[in-house]
CSV table of all heavy atoms in Angstrom, one decimal:
chain,number,residue,atom,x,y,z
E,86,ARG,N,-110.9,49.3,38.3
E,86,ARG,CA,-111.9,50.2,37.9
E,86,ARG,C,-113.3,49.5,37.6
E,86,ARG,O,-113.3,48.3,37.2
E,86,ARG,CB,-111.5,51.1,36.7
E,86,ARG,CG,-111.5,50.4,35.4
E,86,ARG,CD,-111.0,51.3,34.3
E,86,ARG,NE,-111.0,50.7,33.0
E,86,ARG,CZ,-110.5,51.2,31.9
E,86,ARG,NH1,-109.9,52.4,31.9
E,86,ARG,NH2,-110.6,50.5,30.7
E,87,GLN,N,-114.4,50.2,37.8
E,87,GLN,CA,-115.7,49.7,37.5
E,87,GLN,C,-116.6,50.8,37.0
E,87,GLN,O,-116.8,51.8,37.7
E,87,GLN,CB,-116.3,49.0,38.8
E,87,GLN,CG,-117.6,48.2,38.5
E,87,GLN,CD,-117.9,47.3,39.6
E,87,GLN,OE1,-117.6,47.5,40.8
E,87,GLN,NE2,-118.7,46.3,39.3
E,88,ALA,N,-117.1,50.6,35.8
E,88,ALA,CA,-118.1,51.5,35.2
E,88,ALA,C,-119.5,51.0,35.6
E,88,ALA,O,-119.7,49.9,35.9
E,88,ALA,CB,-117.9,51.5,33.7
E,89,PRO,N,-120.5,52.0,35.6
E,89,PRO,CA,-121.8,51.6,35.9
E,89,PRO,C,-122.4,50.5,35.1
E,89,PRO,O,-122.3,50.5,33.9
E,89,PRO,CB,-122.6,52.9,35.7
E,89,PRO,CG,-121.6,54.0,35.9
E,89,PRO,CD,-120.3,53.4,35.3
E,90,GLY,N,-123.0,49.5,35.7
E,90,GLY,CA,-123.5,48.3,35.0
E,90,GLY,C,-122.6,47.3,34.5
E,90,GLY,O,-123.0,46.4,33.8
E,91,LYS,N,-121.3,47.5,34.7
E,91,LYS,CA,-120.3,46.6,34.2
E,91,LYS,C,-119.4,46.0,35.4
E,91,LYS,O,-119.4,46.5,36.5
E,91,LYS,CB,-119.3,47.3,33.3
E,91,LYS,CG,-120.0,47.9,32.0
E,91,LYS,CD,-119.1,48.1,30.9
E,91,LYS,CE,-119.8,48.4,29.6
E,91,LYS,NZ,-118.9,48.4,28.4
E,92,GLY,N,-118.8,44.9,35.1
E,92,GLY,CA,-118.0,44.2,36.1
E,92,GLY,C,-116.6,44.9,36.3
E,92,GLY,O,-116.2,45.8,35.4
E,93,PRO,N,-115.9,44.6,37.3
E,93,PRO,CA,-114.6,45.3,37.6
E,93,PRO,C,-113.6,44.8,36.6
E,93,PRO,O,-113.6,43.7,36.1
E,93,PRO,CB,-114.3,44.8,39.0
E,93,PRO,CG,-115.0,43.5,39.2
E,93,PRO,CD,-116.3,43.6,38.4
E,94,GLU,N,-112.6,45.7,36.3
E,94,GLU,CA,-111.5,45.4,35.5
E,94,GLU,C,-110.2,45.7,36.3
E,94,GLU,O,-110.1,46.7,37.0
E,94,GLU,CB,-111.4,46.3,34.2
E,94,GLU,CG,-112.6,46.1,33.3
E,94,GLU,CD,-112.4,47.0,32.1
E,94,GLU,OE1,-112.4,48.2,32.2
E,94,GLU,OE2,-112.3,46.5,31.0
E,95,ARG,N,-109.2,44.9,36.1
E,95,ARG,CA,-107.9,45.1,36.7
E,95,ARG,C,-107.1,46.0,35.7
E,95,ARG,O,-106.7,45.6,34.7
E,95,ARG,CB,-107.1,43.9,37.0
E,95,ARG,CG,-105.7,44.2,37.6
E,95,ARG,CD,-105.0,42.9,38.2
E,95,ARG,NE,-104.8,41.9,37.2
E,95,ARG,CZ,-103.6,41.3,37.1
E,95,ARG,NH1,-102.5,41.7,37.8
E,95,ARG,NH2,-103.5,40.3,36.2
E,96,VAL,N,-106.9,47.3,36.1
E,96,VAL,CA,-106.2,48.3,35.3
E,96,VAL,C,-104.7,48.1,35.3
E,96,VAL,O,-104.1,48.1,34.2
E,96,VAL,CB,-106.6,49.7,35.8
E,96,VAL,CG1,-105.8,50.7,34.9
E,96,VAL,CG2,-108.1,49.9,35.7
E,97,SER,N,-104.2,47.8,36.5
E,97,SER,CA,-102.7,47.8,36.6
E,97,SER,C,-102.3,47.1,37.9
E,97,SER,O,-103.0,47.2,38.9
E,97,SER,CB,-102.1,49.1,36.5
E,97,SER,OG,-100.7,49.1,36.3
E,98,THR,N,-101.2,46.5,37.9
E,98,THR,CA,-100.6,45.9,39.2
E,98,THR,C,-99.1,46.2,39.2
E,98,THR,O,-98.4,46.2,38.1
E,98,THR,CB,-100.8,44.4,39.2
E,98,THR,OG1,-102.2,44.1,39.3
E,98,THR,CG2,-100.1,43.7,40.4
E,99,ILE,N,-98.6,46.4,40.4
E,99,ILE,CA,-97.1,46.7,40.6
E,99,ILE,C,-96.6,45.8,41.7
E,99,ILE,O,-97.3,45.6,42.7
E,99,ILE,CB,-96.9,48.2,40.8
E,99,ILE,CG1,-95.4,48.5,40.8
E,99,ILE,CG2,-97.5,48.6,42.1
E,99,ILE,CD1,-95.0,50.0,40.7
E,100,ASN,N,-95.4,45.2,41.6
E,100,ASN,CA,-94.9,44.4,42.6
E,100,ASN,C,-94.3,45.3,43.7
E,100,ASN,O,-94.3,46.5,43.6
E,100,ASN,CB,-93.8,43.4,42.0
E,100,ASN,CG,-92.5,44.1,41.6
E,100,ASN,OD1,-92.5,45.2,41.3
E,100,ASN,ND2,-91.5,43.3,41.7
E,101,THR,N,-93.8,44.6,44.8
E,101,THR,CA,-93.4,45.3,46.0
E,101,THR,C,-92.3,46.4,45.7
E,101,THR,O,-92.3,47.5,46.3
E,101,THR,CB,-92.9,44.3,47.0
E,101,THR,OG1,-91.8,43.5,46.5
E,101,THR,CG2,-94.0,43.4,47.5
E,102,GLY,N,-91.3,46.0,44.9
E,102,GLY,CA,-90.2,46.9,44.6
E,102,GLY,C,-90.4,47.9,43.4
E,102,GLY,O,-89.6,48.7,43.2
E,103,GLY,N,-91.5,47.7,42.7
E,103,GLY,CA,-91.8,48.5,41.6
E,103,GLY,C,-91.1,48.1,40.3
E,103,GLY,O,-91.2,48.9,39.3
E,104,SER,N,-90.5,47.0,40.2
E,104,SER,CA,-89.7,46.6,39.0
E,104,SER,C,-90.6,45.8,38.0
E,104,SER,O,-90.2,45.7,36.9
E,104,SER,CB,-88.5,45.7,39.4
E,104,SER,OG,-89.0,44.5,40.1
E,105,THR,N,-91.7,45.3,38.4
E,105,THR,CA,-92.6,44.5,37.6
E,105,THR,C,-94.0,45.1,37.5
E,105,THR,O,-94.6,45.4,38.6
E,105,THR,CB,-92.7,43.0,38.0
E,105,THR,OG1,-91.4,42.4,38.0
E,105,THR,CG2,-93.5,42.2,37.1
E,106,ARG,N,-94.5,45.3,36.3
E,106,ARG,CA,-95.8,46.0,36.2
E,106,ARG,C,-96.7,45.2,35.2
E,106,ARG,O,-96.2,44.7,34.2
E,106,ARG,CB,-95.6,47.4,35.7
E,106,ARG,CG,-94.9,48.3,36.6
E,106,ARG,CD,-94.5,49.6,36.0
E,106,ARG,NE,-93.9,50.6,36.9
E,106,ARG,CZ,-92.6,50.6,37.2
E,106,ARG,NH1,-91.8,49.7,36.7
E,106,ARG,NH2,-92.2,51.5,38.1
E,107,TYR,N,-98.0,45.2,35.5
E,107,TYR,CA,-99.0,44.6,34.6
E,107,TYR,C,-100.0,45.8,34.2
E,107,TYR,O,-100.3,46.6,35.0
E,107,TYR,CB,-99.8,43.5,35.3
E,107,TYR,CG,-101.2,43.3,34.7
E,107,TYR,CD1,-101.3,42.4,33.6
E,107,TYR,CD2,-102.3,44.0,35.1
E,107,TYR,CE1,-102.5,42.2,33.0
E,107,TYR,CE2,-103.5,43.8,34.5
E,107,TYR,CZ,-103.6,42.9,33.5
E,107,TYR,OH,-104.9,42.7,32.9
E,108,TYR,N,-100.4,45.8,32.9
E,108,TYR,CA,-101.4,46.7,32.5
E,108,TYR,C,-102.5,46.0,31.6
E,108,TYR,O,-102.2,45.1,30.8
E,108,TYR,CB,-100.8,47.8,31.6
E,108,TYR,CG,-99.8,48.7,32.3
E,108,TYR,CD1,-98.5,48.5,32.2
E,108,TYR,CD2,-100.3,49.7,33.1
E,108,TYR,CE1,-97.6,49.3,32.8
E,108,TYR,CE2,-99.4,50.6,33.7
E,108,TYR,CZ,-98.0,50.3,33.6
E,108,TYR,OH,-97.1,51.2,34.2
E,109,LEU,N,-103.7,46.4,31.9
E,109,LEU,CA,-104.8,46.0,31.0
E,109,LEU,C,-104.5,46.4,29.6
E,109,LEU,O,-104.0,47.5,29.3
E,109,LEU,CB,-106.1,46.7,31.5
E,109,LEU,CG,-107.4,46.4,30.8
E,109,LEU,CD1,-107.9,45.0,31.0
E,109,LEU,CD2,-108.5,47.4,31.3
E,110,ASP,N,-104.8,45.6,28.6
E,110,ASP,CA,-104.4,45.9,27.2
E,110,ASP,C,-104.9,47.2,26.7
E,110,ASP,O,-104.2,47.9,26.0
E,110,ASP,CB,-104.9,44.8,26.3
E,110,ASP,CG,-104.1,43.5,26.3
E,110,ASP,OD1,-103.0,43.5,26.8
E,110,ASP,OD2,-104.6,42.5,25.8
E,111,SER,N,-106.1,47.6,27.1
E,111,SER,CA,-106.7,48.8,26.6
E,111,SER,C,-106.1,50.1,27.2
E,111,SER,O,-106.3,51.2,26.6
E,111,SER,CB,-108.2,48.8,26.9
E,111,SER,OG,-108.5,48.8,28.3
E,112,VAL,N,-105.3,50.0,28.2
E,112,VAL,CA,-104.6,51.2,28.8
E,112,VAL,C,-103.1,51.1,28.6
E,112,VAL,O,-102.4,52.1,28.9
E,112,VAL,CB,-104.9,51.3,30.3
E,112,VAL,CG1,-106.4,51.2,30.5
E,112,VAL,CG2,-104.1,50.3,31.1
């Protein structure tokens, strides 16, 4: 995600099979 005037943030990532997930601390 990217808000106006701010840099991009990685909100979440999921691996190929859906078994491993990453989340930004704030979400």
Side-chain angles (χ1 to χ4, degrees):
R86 71 184 183 188
Q87 189 164 24
K91 298 202 170 187
E94 295 181 300
R95 179 166 61 128
V96 177
S97 189
T98 297
I99 188 168
N100 74 332
T101 56
S104 61
T105 302
R106 297 168 173 86
Y107 159 87
Y108 296 100
L109 183 67
D110 283 346
S111 62
V112 311

